[in-house]
Amino acid sequence: MATSSSSSSSSGITERRGIPGAQFVEDVQTYLTQLGLDVNSALAFLQERLQQYKLVEMKLLAQQRDLQAKIPDIEKCLDVVGTLQDKKGTGEALITDFEVSEGIYSRARIEDADSVCLWLGANVMLEYSCEEAIALLQKNLDNAKASLEVLVADLQFLRDQVTITQVTIARVYNWDVHQRRMRQAAAAKDS
């Protein structure tokens, strides 16, 4: 954890893949002075930042759901191509049901398949040898798992920033309440 020389922050503001880091505020007065903001402006700024974090979180969670759905599909394709490769040359046919359209299946008998066709997306299908298909699918699986790991780390970083921002909002608000009470007590004492 980097330490700032000012007394308003105990950690330097960082960024992770475009997500700005939140500043933990130790001294609210110094924080407000450094930003040149009054309490209401600071609270509005912090609330806006919190909303931005929530929007990014929704986007990252959607990406996480997509990857979590994609990984089992890739693993299933790898299993199928591996099974086809294992049956090749044995003289044994593979009998399987495959989805023609959503909810519509057909039965197929596959004997000595030398190649497979893979959907690559955007209505593109290419034919690959079983070895090439396994290599491509394994690469895609590895990339998807690595992307998921990065995404999970991004979400953790983002959640930390949300927590820091929420704590800062509470600290600024509580500081303002304390300042008002002190002003009221001083005014009551003077009168």
Side-chain angles (χ1 to χ4, degrees):
M1 183 189 282
T3 311
S4 172
S5 61
S6 81
S7 62
S8 69
S9 175
S10 66
S11 66
I13 296 177
T14 59
E15 181 179 295
R16 179 180 169 88
R17 295 180 8 106
I19 303 168
Q23 180 179 8
F24 178 77
V25 175
E26 289 180 29
D27 181 354
V28 174
Q29 181 64 52
T30 304
Y31 173 75
L32 293 175
T33 303
Q34 284 176 348
L35 290 180
L37 297 174
D38 62 15
V39 170
N40 291 333
S41 298
L43 287 171
F45 166 76
L46 291 167
Q47 288 290 350
E48 182 179 332
R49 177 60 59 92
L50 189 59
Q51 291 298 30
Q52 291 169 348
Y53 285 145
K54 294 292 186 177
L55 287 173
V56 172
E57 182 180 34
M58 286 178 12
K59 179 182 145 200
L60 292 178
L61 286 171
Q63 290 175 359
Q64 183 183 32
R65 280 190 303 274
D66 290 346
L67 278 172
Q68 286 172 331
K70 185 179 185 178
I71 289 172
D73 287 345
I74 296 171
E75 290 172 336
K76 203 181 314 179
C77 287
L78 261 170
D79 287 343
V80 169
V81 175
T83 302
L84 285 173
Q85 192 172 25
D86 291 344
K87 296 276 185 183
K88 185 178 173 183
T90 64
E92 185 182 341
L94 174 67
I95 298 175
T96 184
D97 293 330
F98 65 95
E99 191 170 16
V100 177
S101 182
E102 190 172 329
I104 300 173
Y105 292 86
S106 181
R107 181 152 289 169
R109 178 183 176 92
I110 304 168
E111 297 178 13
D112 285 337
D114 292 327
S115 63
V116 295
C117 294
L118 299 176
W119 283 109
L120 300 180
N123 292 323
V124 174
M125 179 185 275
L126 286 179
E127 184 174 3
Y128 292 92
S129 70
C130 289
E131 294 81 14
E132 292 172 326
I134 287 173
L136 176 66
L137 289 168
Q138 189 61 54
K139 178 182 166 200
N140 289 350
L141 180 61
D142 294 343
N143 289 342
K145 286 181 177 181
S147 294
L148 185 59
E149 284 181 28
V150 169
L151 202 54
V152 167
D154 288 349
L155 278 165
Q156 183 57 51
F157 176 79
L158 185 61
R159 287 182 182 122
D160 290 346
Q161 304 323 297
V162 166
T163 301
I164 291 168
T165 303
Q166 289 170 332
V167 168
T168 300
I169 289 170
R171 289 178 67 88
V172 170
Y173 179 78
N174 290 339
W175 178 85
D176 184 44
V177 169
H178 179 71
Q179 294 300 311
R180 288 181 194 190
R181 285 183 184 156
M182 286 177 51
R183 284 192 298 271
Q184 286 174 350
K189 191 182 216 184
D190 291 341
S191 49

